[in-house]
Amino acid sequence: MSYTGPEFPPPQPERRPGRSRRAPVVVAGALVSGALLGWLAYTAVGAFGGGPDARPDRTGAAAVTHSSAPASHSPAAHSSASPSPSSSVDDGKGTDAGTPASGPLRGRVVVIDPGHNPGNARHTAEINRQVDIGTGHKECDTTGTETDDGYPEASFTLDLAHRLRTLLQQQGATVELTHDTGTRAWGPCVDERARIGNEAHADAAISLHADGSAPGNRGFHVILPAAVHAGAADTRPIAAASRRLGASIAGSFVRVTGEPPANYLGGGTGLVTRGDLGGLNLSTVPKVFIECGNMRDAADAARLTSGSWRQQAAEGISEGIVAFLRES
């Protein structure tokens, strides 16, 4: 999701020409975080040699449980994510799961925010509108990045959201998406994305992304909210819980997927703290972002475009959320 926009600082000179990228971020936490421990343990057993499809494929995800649409749009019939570039593997399609199953997360609410929207590029005036993020004003939303072969970040995040939703529903959680295929022509804006989680009284919220950094920069990172107190933003009550959520997700993500922590920020922990993201600044519930890999790096792109690896990513994120909620 790296480019100039509401969630990202201006592009850096060393990045790929013609495509702006995210500015350096503030490193979060000590090197003894759960993410680093998971990385060290995984490295010790040589798990990263398995490649993106090392684990078997699994069933894809169901349709959205809840969604939010602007007043001018009536929610359409819920449908699956955009087709996977790897059509021979699970593409995350499914049908409405209805009432959450009985399970350890019965009564818990999780909000999943698929980053960007495939229609944003067709609605530049709308997504360029300025919104208040507490520490200032930024654009409503942005278009997202893509792989060199043209697989959009917005398609990736919707597919991953569907898979993650099904896994959490199987644990008994009530799951709400901020938007889904067919429910929004564009957006929602970053302030509304935060508001959806707040109004749902989510026990945990996560925004799904993939980065657009320079080739050679690879690996995942989880973005934690800084302790922001400005204007409408006050993350102080959720900062500690969000850090626990992020560390839990980072540890399980590296273990399940084999994706290493980012080698270009975060100090090898897989954790980064930022105070410039509207989706975090305006949240009143524990919330993190995850950048699952770098779409502009060939090794990461091979994983991100694999349906079976996206299922692993959903499993890693789900396990981190489940662990956090069972300890909360």
Side-chain angles (χ1 to χ4, degrees):
M1 68 171 187
S2 294
Y3 50 87
T4 304
E7 303 294 281
F8 319 98
Q12 297 301 295
E14 71 273 12
R15 307 289 187 176
R16 183 186 181 94
R19 296 181 183 267
S20 53
R21 303 287 178 242
R22 181 198 323 267
V25 294
V26 181
V27 173
L31 296 182
V32 295
S33 68
L36 180 58
L37 292 176
W39 162 242
L40 292 173
Y42 223 69
T43 302
V45 298
F48 292 107
D53 296 323
R55 289 164 60 98
D57 234 2
R58 291 167 173 80
T59 303
V64 65
T65 303
H66 305 286
S67 65
S68 174
S72 59
H73 297 282
S74 298
H78 300 144
S79 59
S80 62
S82 299
S84 163
S86 303
S87 58
S88 62
V89 296
D90 180 8
D91 64 1
K93 293 181 179 179
T95 56
D96 195 339
T99 304
S102 296
L105 299 188
R106 186 76 174 179
R108 310 307 290 272
V109 177
V110 179
V111 169
I112 302 173
D113 177 28
H116 316 291
N117 185 317
N120 278 359
R122 298 187 297 273
H123 294 270
T124 55
E126 292 89 344
I127 68 170
N128 286 331
R129 177 173 62 85
Q130 297 284 300
V131 297
D132 186 353
I133 65 165
T135 55
H137 289 77
K138 288 188 176 180
E139 291 83 356
C140 156
D141 201 12
T142 41
T143 57
T145 188
E146 64 181 17
T147 65
D148 287 341
D149 291 334
Y151 180 48
E153 181 186 1
S155 296
F156 167 81
T157 63
L158 278 170
D159 179 88
L160 181 59
H162 293 164
R163 297 169 188 270
L164 177 58
R165 175 182 52 206
T166 290
L167 294 172
L168 292 170
Q169 286 177 332
Q170 289 170 350
Q171 294 289 321
T174 296
V175 183
E176 180 171 349
L177 270 61
T178 58
H179 71 100
D180 199 1
T181 309
T183 65
R184 303 284 305 231
W186 54 272
C189 296
V190 294
D191 57 339
E192 184 180 353
R193 291 173 186 264
R195 187 163 59 251
I196 291 169
N198 299 344
E199 293 178 350
H201 303 288
D203 296 291
I206 183 164
S207 188
L208 306 176
H209 291 272
D211 209 352
S213 188
N217 290 344
R218 65 162 308 199
F220 80 94
H221 62 280
V222 177
I223 305 176
L224 315 174
V228 172
H229 184 212
D234 187 359
T235 62
R236 294 173 300 175
I238 66 160
S242 297
R243 180 175 294 276
R244 292 195 303 274
L245 172 63
S248 182
I249 291 171
S252 60
F253 193 83
V254 71
R255 174 175 53 80
V256 174
T257 67
E259 180 74 1
N263 63 6
Y264 58 103
L265 75 179
T269 66
L271 299 174
V272 170
T273 299
R274 294 180 63 169
D276 63 324
L277 305 184
L280 295 181
N281 285 2
L282 300 175
S283 182
T284 59
V285 301
K287 184 176 182 180
V288 297
F289 280 38
I290 183 167
E291 299 278 4
C292 296
N294 177 18
M295 286 194 141
R296 310 304 298 180
D297 176 78
D300 274 3
R303 294 186 170 201
L304 296 165
T305 55
S306 163
S308 58
W309 187 87
R310 291 196 297 276
Q311 188 65 24
Q312 294 178 42
E315 291 169 3
I317 295 168
S318 174
E319 291 183 14
I321 292 173
V322 170
F324 166 78
L325 292 178
R326 297 185 73 171
E327 295 172 0
S328 298

